[in-house]
Amino acid sequence: MGLNQRLPFPLVLNHEVVQKICVLTMRSSFMVVVVYPQDKDVASSNKLLDQEVKVENNEEEFVAQNSDTVKDDELEFAIGSPLPGMKQQFDETMKISKAIIDILKDQVFGFDTFFVTSQETYEGGVLFKGNLRGKPAKSYEKITNRMQGKFGDQYKLFLLINPEDDKPVAVVVPKQTLQPETTAVPEWFAAGAFGLVTIFTLLLRNVPFLQSNLLSTFDNLELLKNGLPGAFITALIIGVHEFGHILIARDTGIKLGVPFFVPSWQIGSFGAITRILSIVPSREDLLKLSAAGPLAGFAAGALLLILGFILPPIDGIGIVVDPAVFHESFLAGGIAKLLLGDVLKEGSPLSINPLVLWAWTGLIINAINSIPTGELDGGRISFAIWGRKTSTRISGVTIALLGVSSLFNDVAFYWTVLVFFLQRGPIAPLADEITEPETKYIGLGVAVLLLGLLVYLPYPFPFYNEGVNFDF
């Protein structure tokens, strides 16, 4: 029927015909408007029946041509899980039935939220493809509320980006399948064992004699006491880092596992690995959680570093270093230049408070965890800011650069091995991976990544410039 075309007969519309026209309108890219006179001609009833048949036939033809909807008795099955990184515990009794899928498609999802065009089942639930309407966060809320109204808390909704075509998809799975994994060894026991080894390596890090001869450590256990102050400062910065995560986790309702402190005989510790046990609601929540730890750790480490440069050595001697050592970090070198000025001369020994080195170690540990790869804080920040696809590419490039760095630095080598086997990812799916974080939180995340760069990139400028002679 052409636009603005008049009907050659008076048309009487009943409720069923109007409903069919509305359905057809929602599935098309144009609007159907029918105007009829108030006078009703009984003789037009036969023509009305013909029109109903035509509407029904047109609807079926339109759907067949413009939608890839799968027939209910011929559901496609997705290969693998559409939830990367999600460990599901599934058996046949948890399978979503065809009747439930129909209710989800016809009564939970809709043209005002997510208009379903096709569906695929897999062993953990059902994946819906279609068109997302309105703001993702609002649509997610509406769909979740409708789903809870129909089924209570039986099912969980995920709003994701399909990596194949970068289009939104909705995944519904039974909540029973999302139970946390159980381990043969209790987490607290394993974490305690790692913690004890980390305490030993933190002490060892601050006793140069033992560090140069590891085999003599157990014959000179008394010497480990000399490493207590340095171990305490470094552990304090790591603890502040973890406390930042805990505060935000409580605020956002995210459940964290027991932190596993990772020992390192080069710098005392690589920080802690903390699993996220619950489903993170959004990218913004993940960003806040991931950035809180490094921001707290960097703040504590920078403050102690500044105090170390300001305070004189307690014994009047302190630690004697060549100022050239501060060229190894842009942040440490910049603060040293700002506070010490012309005292810094490459090749001229300088006595400093050991607090400088202890705080610097804490900053290095924070910077390492801020590297944008895998499930490190930096990797999660990258995921939250730029999404799964882009962050995966950034993570791959970062791993490659770490691999190159490991050829020249043993710390980089061991850290690369650790990340590759324990923290490579992928990051478990968020409930809503489409909604982007607010700009202010993106700024905090970028600040963390930049602070990490400032810690482990070198300071390229000379500390002392000889006076320029302008005599002619």
Side-chain angles (χ1 to χ4, degrees):
M1 184 182 297
L3 295 177
N4 301 323
Q5 181 176 345
R6 295 195 177 190
L7 295 174
F9 54 85
L11 177 61
V12 180
L13 299 179
N14 61 21
H15 172 73
E16 292 162 351
V17 176
V18 172
Q19 186 178 30
K20 290 179 180 294
I21 292 177
C22 289
V23 170
L24 180 58
T25 301
M26 288 185 295
R27 294 185 178 179
S28 64
S29 58
F30 54 86
M31 179 174 291
V32 177
V33 179
V34 180
V35 181
Y36 59 92
Q38 293 182 354
D39 295 333
K40 302 176 177 59
D41 186 358
V42 177
S44 64
S45 59
N46 292 333
K47 295 182 178 180
L48 171 61
L49 294 176
D50 292 339
Q51 291 299 317
E52 288 190 43
V53 172
K54 289 181 180 179
V55 169
E56 184 173 355
N57 291 338
N58 289 339
E59 177 186 346
E60 293 175 355
E61 182 180 354
F62 182 86
V63 171
Q65 293 178 356
N66 297 278
S67 173
D68 56 347
T69 304
V70 182
K71 293 181 180 180
D72 293 332
D73 57 349
E74 298 179 357
L75 293 177
E76 293 183 2
F77 286 80
I79 300 175
S81 172
L83 304 177
M86 178 69 75
K87 304 297 184 183
Q88 292 183 259
Q89 300 178 11
F90 172 76
D91 60 57
E92 286 298 322
T93 62
M94 302 177 185
K95 184 177 180 180
I96 298 180
S97 66
K98 174 181 174 295
I100 298 297
I101 294 176
D102 289 340
I103 295 175
L104 288 169
K105 182 177 65 175
D106 299 331
Q107 301 180 34
V108 174
F109 294 90
F111 72 94
D112 62 329
T113 55
F114 188 94
F115 184 72
V116 177
T117 59
S118 69
Q119 62 205 40
E120 298 175 4
T121 61
Y122 71 106
E123 65 176 9
V126 58
L127 180 148
F128 293 105
K129 295 181 179 179
N131 302 315
L132 182 64
R133 307 292 174 86
K135 293 183 178 180
K138 290 291 184 182
S139 296
Y140 181 90
E141 183 180 1
K142 288 181 180 179
I143 296 171
T144 301
N145 290 338
R146 291 172 187 170
M147 195 161 60
Q148 289 179 342
K150 292 287 183 182
F151 309 108
D153 291 328
Q154 294 183 53
Y155 302 102
K156 178 64 181 177
L157 170 69
F158 295 89
L159 201 56
L160 312 173
I161 293 293
N162 188 349
E164 296 178 359
D165 54 14
D166 294 329
K167 293 182 178 180
V169 294
V171 179
V172 178
V173 297
K175 278 194 174 181
Q176 287 179 289
T177 67
L178 302 177
Q179 298 300 319
E181 286 185 291
T182 57
T183 56
V185 180
E187 275 197 348
W188 61 266
F189 181 82
F194 273 88
L196 289 174
V197 176
T198 302
I199 291 173
F200 174 76
T201 55
L202 284 172
L203 293 170
L204 186 66
R205 165 70 176 78
N206 294 281
V207 184
F209 171 75
L210 296 180
Q211 200 172 17
S212 61
N213 188 1
L214 292 176
L215 295 179
S216 66
T217 302
F218 296 100
D219 296 327
N220 300 275
L221 290 177
E222 285 293 319
L223 289 177
L224 287 177
K225 294 180 180 179
N226 297 333
L228 279 173
F232 174 78
I233 295 298
T234 305
L236 176 64
I237 297 174
I238 297 174
V240 169
H241 177 117
E242 293 304 313
F243 190 66
H245 287 314
I246 292 172
L247 283 179
I248 297 300
R250 289 180 178 178
D251 183 60
T252 55
I254 299 172
K255 186 178 180 181
L256 299 179
V258 180
F260 285 75
F261 292 94
V262 183
S264 167
W265 64 78
Q266 300 100 334
I267 58 175
S269 174
F270 282 129
I273 295 175
T274 306
R275 290 199 306 150
I276 298 176
L277 301 181
S278 60
I279 297 170
V280 180
S282 65
R283 285 163 57 181
E284 185 171 296
D285 288 330
L286 180 65
L287 180 53
K288 290 190 287 187
L289 175 71
S290 305
L295 283 175
F298 280 131
L303 178 61
L304 292 172
L305 183 69
I306 292 171
L307 285 176
F309 281 122
I310 294 174
L311 298 175
I314 298 175
D315 56 4
I317 300 176
I319 297 178
V320 179
V321 298
D322 187 329
V325 72
F326 296 116
H327 279 293
E328 295 180 9
S329 169
F330 195 100
L331 182 64
I335 293 176
K337 176 63 177 176
L338 180 65
L339 297 178
L340 301 182
D342 291 339
V343 174
L344 289 175
K345 293 183 181 180
E346 291 87 344
S348 299
L350 176 67
S351 178
I352 60 172
N353 192 306
L355 181 58
V356 170
L357 299 184
W358 300 337
W360 191 355
T361 301
L363 287 171
I364 291 174
I365 294 171
N366 270 276
I368 285 175
N369 282 275
S370 300
I371 295 174
T373 187
E375 293 195 77
L376 301 179
D377 289 330
R380 289 170 176 170
I381 289 171
S382 174
F383 177 100
I385 295 176
W386 295 294
R388 184 178 295 275
K389 190 170 186 179
T390 301
S391 67
T392 300
R393 293 171 178 171
I394 294 174
S395 180
V397 173
T398 303
I399 284 287
L401 293 175
L402 281 174
V404 174
S405 300
S406 66
L407 299 176
F408 310 98
N409 187 294
D410 59 343
V411 174
F413 172 76
Y414 290 108
W415 186 238
T416 303
V417 172
L418 179 68
V419 170
F420 189 81
F421 287 102
L422 297 181
Q423 293 286 86
R424 183 173 48 176
I427 296 173
L430 315 183
D432 175 11
E433 289 191 9
I434 298 179
T435 303
E436 297 182 354
E438 291 185 23
T439 304
K440 60 182 179 181
Y441 295 116
I442 293 177
L444 290 177
V446 172
V448 169
L449 299 180
L450 290 177
L451 283 170
L453 280 174
L454 292 177
V455 170
Y456 49 71
L457 287 181
Y459 184 84
F461 311 109
F463 290 130
Y464 182 77
N465 293 319
E466 297 289 345
V468 180
N469 186 359
F470 292 100
D471 294 337
F472 294 97

